[in-house]
């Protein structure tokens, strides 16, 4: 007998939302497998926050359906809220309390007994490498420690789905690396992580699947490698001697350009990476050898996907 398929941890079909005449979501379809990290990326105003707020029961959709852990976000809102945790961009902690006191308080608010809240707090402090700082006021914590404590607090109620909004904003590289390891560990432990981030490297590093939203629609979805292949396998970066050369090359290359850096006088062009194709591109854009000052070939990045598939700059997603 064939075992039943595991239902998605997060599922949305045809989600719409409008404010007056402005359509913010125009039919969003998503399916996220349990125990995975899923990233939703898009420019400002693309519909990311609205999508997350609907999935987290903080906003009602205009149309369509959404289910979390098999529960309808509208008809079974209380059950959905018991299954999820939402962690915002900024740590929601009481700075006057110690780390341990913050977690015990969250445990009590989640309905745990005093003893159970203490036990859960001790477990999470150990898991997030905060035991040595447990008795210190949170106001004395570094940014990375606060973020780790915030993640720990979001897990007090043992949610099956956690929504993370910009989890490493403002952190130094070492702290960001630590948080990345913790987020990956959540998925390894069976928690489904729905991530929004402004760091494309973060999505590339953590997410098993990535959806790109623009103008209220999902314009692309897949693994990081699949999305990069939609742009090109490689990117030829061209540096120009002056503004005139840059503008002329931009005009000649047209739709082949996947990355523009006008301040640096650089263009990125889709290429197979093969020597003959690189030579063809150089001959096409600079047959007289007077425009291109330097060139280099790189693997395509999620930045290139953004530049190609959205109409907006990818600096804030």
């Amino acid at each position: 007998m064939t075992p039943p398929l595991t239902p998605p941890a997060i599922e949305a079909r045809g989600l719409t939302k409008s404010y007056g005449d402005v359509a913010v979501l125009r039919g969003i379809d998503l399916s996220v497998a349990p125990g995975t990290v899923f990233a939703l990326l898009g420019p400002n105003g693309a519909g990311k926050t609205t999508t997350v707020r609907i999935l987290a029961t903080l906003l009602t959709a205009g149309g369509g359906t959404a289910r979390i852990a098999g529960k309808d976000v509208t008809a079974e809102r209380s059950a959905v809220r018991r299954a999820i945790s939402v962690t915002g961009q900024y740590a929601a902690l009481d700075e006057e309390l110690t780390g341990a006191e913050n977690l015990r308080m969250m445990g009590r608010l989640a309905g745990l007994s005093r003893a159970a809240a203490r036990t859960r707090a001790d477990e999470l402090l150990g898991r997030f490498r905060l035991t040595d700082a447990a008795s210190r006021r949170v106001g004395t914590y570094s940014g990375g420690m606060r973020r780790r404590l915030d993640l720990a607090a979001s897990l007090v109620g043992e949610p099956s789905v956690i929504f993370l909004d910009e989890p490493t904003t403002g952190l130094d590289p070492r702290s960001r690396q630590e948080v990345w390891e913790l987020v990956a560990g959540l998925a390894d432990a069976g928690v489904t992580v729905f991530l929004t981030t402004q760091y494309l490297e973060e999505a590339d590093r953590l997410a098993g699947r990535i959806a790109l939203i623009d103008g209220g629609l999902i314009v692309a979805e897949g693994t990081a490698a699949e999305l990069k292949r939609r742009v090109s396998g490689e990117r030829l970066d061209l540096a120009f001697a002056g503004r005139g050369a840059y503008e002329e090359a931009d005009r000649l290359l047209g739709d082949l350009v996947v990355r523009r850096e006008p301040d640096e006088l650089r263009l990125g062009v889709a290429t197979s990476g093969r020597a003959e194709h690189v030579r063809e591109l150089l001959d096409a854009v600079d047959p007289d050898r007077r425009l291109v000052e330097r060139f280099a070939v790189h693997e395509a990045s999620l930045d290139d996907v953004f530049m190609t598939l959205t109409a907006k700059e990818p600096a804030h997603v």
Side-chain angles (χ1 to χ4, degrees), residues 10-12 15 28 30 32 40 49-59 65-68 73 80 84 86 163 194:
I10 303 172
E11 187 174 27
L15 284 186
I28 298 295
L30 292 172
V32 181
L40 182 65
T49 300
T50 300
T51 300
V52 170
R53 287 175 64 82
I54 290 172
L55 295 175
T57 75
L58 302 174
L59 190 65
T65 62
R67 302 181 75 84
I68 304 292
V73 299
V80 169
I84 69 172
V86 181
F163 293 93
F194 193 101

Side-chain angles (χ1 to χ4, degrees), residues 64-300:
T65 62
R67 302 181 75 84
I68 304 292
K71 307 296 183 182
D72 187 277
V73 299
T74 301
E76 301 170 279
R77 181 170 299 179
S78 295
V80 169
R81 289 180 174 176
R82 288 193 294 271
I84 69 172
S85 180
V86 181
T87 302
Q89 182 175 343
Y90 301 103
L93 303 168
D94 189 325
E95 295 192 353
E96 296 303 313
L97 299 180
T98 67
E101 288 169 343
N102 266 278
L103 294 186
R104 291 172 197 156
M105 177 181 68
M106 295 299 294
R108 296 291 283 158
L109 290 173
L112 299 180
S113 68
R114 191 179 301 277
R118 181 179 293 274
T119 298
R120 183 64 174 154
D122 290 343
E123 290 173 356
L124 290 168
L125 288 165
R127 178 175 176 181
F128 285 82
R129 302 191 297 276
L130 289 168
T131 300
D132 291 344
S135 59
R136 283 171 45 192
R137 284 193 314 107
V138 171
T140 69
Y141 281 20
S142 67
M145 292 170 66
R146 288 174 187 235
R147 204 54 176 150
R148 298 205 317 265
L149 184 63
D150 199 35
L151 286 172
S154 71
L155 294 175
V156 166
E158 300 188 73
S160 60
V161 175
I162 180 170
F163 293 93
L164 291 182
D165 180 26
E166 314 283 2
T168 61
T169 294
L171 297 185
D172 62 74
R174 185 180 300 277
S175 296
R176 183 174 299 138
Q177 178 71 35
E178 290 179 350
V179 171
W180 286 352
E181 292 173 1
L182 292 171
V183 171
L186 294 180
D188 290 342
V191 178
T192 303
V193 180
F194 193 101
L195 170 72
T196 65
T197 177
Q198 65 175 321
Y199 299 113
L200 302 184
E201 179 189 2
E202 189 160 83
D204 202 347
R205 175 77 172 269
L206 293 176
R209 292 189 68 79
I210 299 167
L212 177 58
I213 185 172
D214 192 34
L217 293 169
I218 301 295
V219 298
E221 184 180 345
T223 65
E226 289 168 347
L227 292 177
K228 291 173 188 177
R229 284 197 295 270
R230 289 190 58 169
V231 176
S232 67
E234 305 283 342
R235 186 185 74 239
L236 173 65
D237 286 346
L238 306 171
F240 300 92
R243 177 68 54 187
Y246 170 89
E247 292 175 351
E248 183 177 348
D250 193 12
R251 177 180 57 80
L252 289 170
L253 291 167
D255 291 342
L256 291 176
V257 177
V258 297
R259 187 187 186 104
R260 289 178 172 85
E261 299 178 77
D263 292 341
E264 304 296 329
L265 301 180
R266 285 199 297 260
L267 295 172
V269 185
T271 176
S272 67
R274 297 179 63 83
E276 60 267 29
H277 190 230
V278 171
R279 283 193 292 267
E280 288 174 6
L281 287 170
L282 289 170
D283 288 340
V285 73
D286 192 11
D288 300 327
R289 306 293 193 269
R290 62 182 179 82
L291 300 180
V292 177
E293 192 173 65
R294 298 183 308 278
F295 71 89
V297 177
H298 302 281
E299 181 182 356

